[in-house]
Amino acid sequence: MPDNGKLRWGIAGCGRISNDFVAALTTLPSGEHEVAAVAARDRVRSEEFAKRFGIPKVYHSYEALAEDDQIDVIYIGTVNSEHTKLCKQMLHHKKHVLCEKPLTLRLQDTKDLFAFARQNGKFLMEAIWTRTFPAYKQLKSEIEQQTIGDVQLVTANFGCNAPNVPSLAQRNLGGGVLLNVGCYMIQLATLVFPNKMPTSIKAAATLNDDGVDETTAITLQYEDGAIAQFLMSTRVELDSAARIVGSEGTIEIEAPFLAPTQMLTPSGKYHFVLPFIDEKFPTNFINSAGLSYEAAEVRRCILAGELECPWMTHADSILDAEIIEKICKEIKVNYD
């Protein structure tokens, strides 16, 4: 990183989430963040992407991006099935990495990637942007201070009618509602019940013809009897709110719970104003401006010499991956 503290980003992949991530970067100080290069296998898409955002360098291979010594950190926004390989490639070339969720498709790969990042002395974070939202930082404080007493129940739903989107529907791309949406629910459970593996994991799912889940219901139970219950679907629309119920009160995270701006607690209602993205940069996902929270946290960590984000640690990602792998076994979804 240059002495001026400007973080130079390389973008791997030109899909919808990469678009929104770069759009969110435009809300941050230009003296702190710069998109230096983008890479994708599709020449036309990568050049259109670079033109849209004024990115100076375009590569048509990920290896060329990895080899650019004028880049500090890589954002990986490709399909899920490419994450493991690209993370290794970028870390091998001494790049810090922020990789979209799910970090990998298998628990062992997740463990191996974090070990490899540490061996190389590089920052690696699974991009669970939710954890960096102000609402989630407040939620974590509420849980730690036990403002609702002992947590008894966590619930959340998320549903959209998008059964034919390839990244959600195709097994070879790492599709399935659990991997792509359920990860946000599992991270909620592991935030509320930190460092705890459920003693019971039950799940039922409807699979598509390619063998990935379209609708999944999950119940996690913990040693003290507390329960987390989640419902998710790519077949039907569902309200995407969440509730955390304790012995002395309730916290309600208003929709969308995975990128929230409003939260009701026993002490009152919180409203967090998102950064503003210029309308010349259209986005694809709700509240995408919140991706800037994640990017700012990555810069803070790298400047501080930290190898992991305290809001979404390596241990958090590993625990989430372990729970997800157990659920996959329960619903008979296999990515091998």
Side-chain angles (χ1 to χ4, degrees):
M1 181 185 290
D3 292 338
N4 62 11
K6 179 184 285 189
L7 194 64
R8 299 168 299 183
W9 289 88
I11 308 298
C14 295
R16 295 190 301 164
I17 190 61
S18 293
N19 174 90
D20 288 15
F21 182 77
V22 177
L25 283 176
T26 66
T27 71
L28 297 170
S30 58
E32 296 181 359
H33 297 267
E34 173 193 3
V35 181
V38 61
R41 295 191 182 96
D42 187 319
R43 181 181 296 270
V44 173
R45 287 184 70 193
S46 60
E47 290 178 353
E48 287 178 349
F49 191 99
K51 183 178 180 180
R52 187 185 317 144
F53 293 107
I55 301 171
K57 289 186 282 190
V58 182
Y59 294 115
H60 306 302
S61 77
Y62 297 126
E63 182 67 20
L65 180 68
E67 291 174 349
D68 188 335
D69 61 6
Q70 298 302 303
I71 292 173
D72 305 302
V73 58
I74 303 293
Y75 170 79
I76 297 175
T78 62
V79 295
N80 298 341
S81 53
E82 294 187 339
H83 290 179
T84 301
K85 178 181 177 181
L86 288 178
C87 281
K88 288 180 180 177
Q89 189 173 33
M90 301 306 166
L91 290 167
H92 175 74
H93 286 280
K94 307 302 181 183
K95 301 294 190 290
H96 303 290
V97 175
L98 173 65
C99 180
E100 265 308 326
K101 55 75 193 169
L103 182 63
T104 76
L105 305 183
R106 301 167 192 85
L107 171 62
Q108 190 57 54
D109 288 342
T110 296
K111 292 179 177 178
D112 291 346
L113 275 184
F114 287 130
F116 189 59
R118 288 195 170 277
Q119 289 168 12
N120 282 275
K122 293 299 172 184
F123 176 89
L124 173 61
M125 178 183 175
E126 181 179 21
I128 301 288
W129 61 320
T130 310
R131 288 285 185 95
T132 63
F133 270 68
Y136 267 76
K137 293 181 178 181
Q138 181 61 39
L139 172 62
K140 187 173 184 180
S141 175
E142 299 275 342
I143 298 300
E144 289 175 347
Q145 295 176 35
Q146 292 191 297
T147 60
I148 59 171
D150 296 325
V151 177
Q152 307 292 314
L153 179 66
V154 178
T155 65
N157 298 332
F158 185 92
C160 60
N161 187 7
N164 298 316
V165 174
S167 60
L168 297 176
Q170 294 181 18
R171 192 171 71 91
N172 67 315
L173 299 181
V177 69
L178 173 61
L179 278 190
N180 288 278
V181 174
C183 57
Y184 290 118
M185 300 176 183
I186 301 305
Q187 69 79 30
L188 175 60
T190 55
L191 183 146
V192 174
F193 306 114
N195 306 312
K196 293 181 180 179
M197 173 59 66
T199 54
S200 172
I201 298 175
K202 300 295 183 184
T206 301
L207 308 187
N208 69 7
D209 291 339
D210 204 30
V212 297
D213 56 319
E214 293 183 319
T215 298
T216 300
I218 299 166
T219 301
L220 310 177
Q221 188 163 26
Y222 291 83
E223 187 175 8
D224 61 0
I227 289 174
Q229 196 161 52
F230 304 126
L231 180 62
M232 62 206 74
S233 181
T234 56
R235 273 286 179 186
V236 296
E237 299 284 343
L238 295 170
D239 175 39
S240 61
R243 300 181 78 217
I244 300 96
V245 183
S247 56
E248 298 175 21
T250 298
I251 296 172
E252 296 185 12
I253 307 174
E254 297 188 9
F257 82 90
L258 57 89
T261 59
Q262 297 187 85
M263 184 170 68
L264 185 63
T265 73
S267 61
K269 187 169 186 175
Y270 289 88
H271 178 72
F272 303 95
V273 178
L274 285 167
F276 174 73
I277 296 178
D278 193 298
E279 60 185 17
K280 70 181 180 181
F281 300 121
T283 56
N284 301 287
F285 301 103
I286 190 168
N287 292 350
S288 284
L291 290 163
S292 61
Y293 301 136
E294 181 180 63
E297 179 62 18
V298 169
R299 177 178 178 272
R300 187 202 66 76
C301 289
I302 291 173
L303 285 176
E306 298 173 9
L307 300 184
E308 60 185 309
C309 172
W311 302 104
M312 188 65 197
T313 66
H314 294 178
D316 290 333
S317 288
I318 290 170
L319 179 57
D320 289 357
E322 186 171 0
I323 294 171
I324 287 171
E325 193 160 283
K326 288 178 182 291
I327 295 169
C328 283
K329 185 176 181 180
E330 180 84 3
I331 62 176
K332 297 180 171 56
V333 171
N334 189 339
Y335 293 98
D336 292 335

